[in-house]
Structure formats: C-alpha cells, structure tokens
Amino acid sequence: MPAMSGTLEALVMNQVDTSTAEKSSKTLTVMQFVRSGTSLLGGLAGVAVYAIWPPAIWLLGIAALVGAAVVSWTVPDSREAAEYTWRELGANLKTAVWSHQALALILVNSAALGPFMLWQIKFGQASLWLVAAGYAAMCLGGLGAATLQEKLNIPSRWAWAVAVANILAAALFALAQQQFFVWITFALHVAMQTILIIQVSGRYHTRISDSVRASALSVISLADSIVTALFAPAVAAIGLACGLDKAIMLSAAVYALIAVLLFFTRNAGTASETATPTAA
C-alpha cells in the first residue's frame, strides 16, 4: 500500500505550509502521532477479535480501509489548483525525485529493513502474544518518537545526529538476547527510525510542489520497493550465514551512510527550496 499512503500523505501536506523543513516536520509529527495511536488501537482490537473469531480480523481490516476512504473524501482541498503544461509537470517531478533529499528519504525508508524483517525471530519463538508485543513496540515507539519530536522540536540540520543515534539503536537491538531487552531495544530503534523519517521527510517536502507531491511520493515508494527487493535477500543471506546480529548490523552500516549524507547537506531545507514552475 505504499502508493496509497503516499497519496494520503500528499493530500494532508498540500493543505499546510511546507516552506521550511521544520514546518513540514511539525505536520508530519502530528500525522505520526495519529497513525501510531490508531494503529495501536487497531492492533488491540485485532488481537481481541482474533482470539474470539479469527476470520473476523479480515472484516476489521476492511472496515478500517472503508473508514479511511470516507475520511479522505471529506478532506477539503484548500489550495487553488493551478494549471501546468505536461513539460512543467515533468520538470517539477524530475526536480523532486532527482535530489539528495530524495536519496536520503529512500535510504532512510530502507535502512530499518533488517530489524523489521528479523524482529520476530529475535524473540526466539512464534506466538500470537509475542507478535502482538512486537507490534505494540512498533506503535509505542512511533508514539514516543512523535512526542519526543514535538517536545524537543529537533531542527532538521541535526538529522545527521539522529542517524547516528539509529546506529546505536540498531546495534543494541542486534546484541540484545533476553526477550525483555529485545522488546525494549526494538521499541527504541523504532522511535529513532521514526524521528529520522520525520526529519528527512520534512526536508523532502520543502523540495516538492503541491502539483506533483502525490506523484513524487509514489515514485519514492516505487524506489523503496526496488531497494527492498535488492536488500532483503542480502539481509536473509547474511542472517543465515553469519547470524541475526550481523544481518541487523547491516542496517547500522546504512545509517552510517545516511549520517554522512545528512551531515554534508545539513543546511539544506532550512529555507524553502520548493520547485514550483510557472503555471501556463
């Protein structure tokens, strides 16, 4: 569903001021808080329904999708739609996806693949309650990240430091052995990853105009899928050959690359860089 989530994100971001990374990140923080909170409630409802009548969990998912569609249809478009030529739209889309902000966002979205692939195996056994516990860690980590970002209002120029924090979080998760510490370090990793996504996405949204925001996010989602398709077999191969800790540490290497990229571009996105072509 990455293309749909990108479209819904664009629908919201087109209604707000995205002239700076900080303004974009503030909106993304609120969105993350709502997303994580509703996901936690949905997960709890899913566990309860599954325990009573397992097939009903599919009905619950369908009901959630229908509800999301209804809500999205009620969101008004507060911006006047400008008319662009195909050449202008193409140039704007190219500017949006061919940039270091886009590269950083693709890398960040892919960096957590190892931990997200292997967290259930790290728990050492499979059960409904352990799956629910891991899902709760993801939701609580997201809520914690949104709360921390809101309280600290971390400037976008410090996104590289958040990437460094992700290296530490991934390493702690890789080294954790007991289930309690696996859960704690996984929630910490999710929190750090979520803050990094908010920071990097905020920088990216200053780059794109409303006219191509949904299309640009869909292209990013497509690139995410391609990178994941290439990265996932490597994670699995390293996990089988060298152990789970080495496979998870592959994510730490990606975070190191992200930290270097963000450090050398740390002043980008502090002012509006939106590429907005002149309407015909």
Side-chain angles (χ1 to χ4, degrees):
M1 302 292 285
M4 178 177 290
S5 62
T7 301
L8 291 176
E9 181 176 317
L11 179 64
V12 175
M13 297 303 292
N14 281 355
Q15 315 304 313
V16 299
D17 184 1
T18 58
S19 60
T20 67
E22 281 67 29
K23 291 178 179 179
S24 296
S25 294
K26 189 173 184 63
T27 300
L28 291 166
T29 298
V30 175
M31 291 172 62
Q32 180 60 50
F33 190 87
V34 173
R35 183 185 298 119
S36 296
T38 53
S39 295
L40 181 59
L41 293 176
L44 292 173
V47 170
V49 168
Y50 187 86
I52 298 171
W53 186 41
I57 196 170
W58 300 106
L59 298 177
L60 187 64
I62 293 172
L65 287 173
V66 171
V70 171
V71 171
S72 66
W73 286 334
T74 63
V75 177
D77 190 349
S78 60
R79 304 286 182 90
E80 287 189 9
E83 293 185 0
Y84 300 104
T85 66
W86 285 107
R87 177 174 294 182
E88 290 168 339
L89 288 173
N92 201 13
L93 183 59
K94 180 181 178 181
T95 301
V97 300
W98 193 259
S99 63
H100 62 78
Q101 292 97 333
L103 175 60
L105 185 56
I106 292 169
L107 289 174
V108 169
N109 288 339
S110 306
L113 180 62
F116 282 20
M117 279 180 59
L118 302 173
W119 68 266
Q120 293 186 52
I121 302 176
K122 281 284 289 184
F123 275 110
Q125 61 185 20
S127 73
L128 173 62
W129 298 112
L130 282 178
V131 171
Y135 183 78
M138 287 191 283
C139 295
L140 293 174
L143 285 171
T147 302
L148 190 62
Q149 174 65 26
E150 177 66 23
K151 296 295 184 182
L152 299 181
N153 195 23
I154 303 171
S156 64
R157 65 180 179 274
W158 287 100
W160 66 271
V162 181
V164 172
N166 270 280
I167 298 175
L168 177 60
L172 290 174
F173 178 62
L175 297 174
Q177 298 297 327
Q178 296 180 349
Q179 287 184 349
F180 175 75
F181 292 108
V182 169
W183 191 90
I184 290 293
T185 54
F186 183 54
L188 175 64
H189 174 263
V190 171
M192 293 298 99
Q193 165 73 2
T194 303
I195 293 177
L196 186 59
I197 288 177
I198 290 172
Q199 291 284 324
V200 175
S201 295
R203 290 158 58 98
Y204 181 68
H205 277 288
T206 67
R207 180 78 180 179
I208 51 181
S209 68
D210 295 344
S211 62
V212 296
R213 196 179 303 278
S215 298
L217 291 175
S218 294
V219 172
I220 294 296
S221 295
L222 176 61
D224 290 341
S225 299
I226 294 173
V227 172
T228 298
L230 297 174
F231 193 26
V235 172
I238 294 174
L240 291 171
C242 306
L244 296 181
D245 55 340
K246 303 297 191 302
I248 293 172
M249 286 304 294
L250 185 60
S251 289
V254 179
Y255 284 124
L257 177 61
I258 293 168
V260 173
L261 174 62
L262 293 177
F263 179 79
F264 286 105
T265 60
R266 60 189 180 277
N267 292 321
T270 55
S272 176
E273 294 183 355
T274 304
T276 307
T278 302

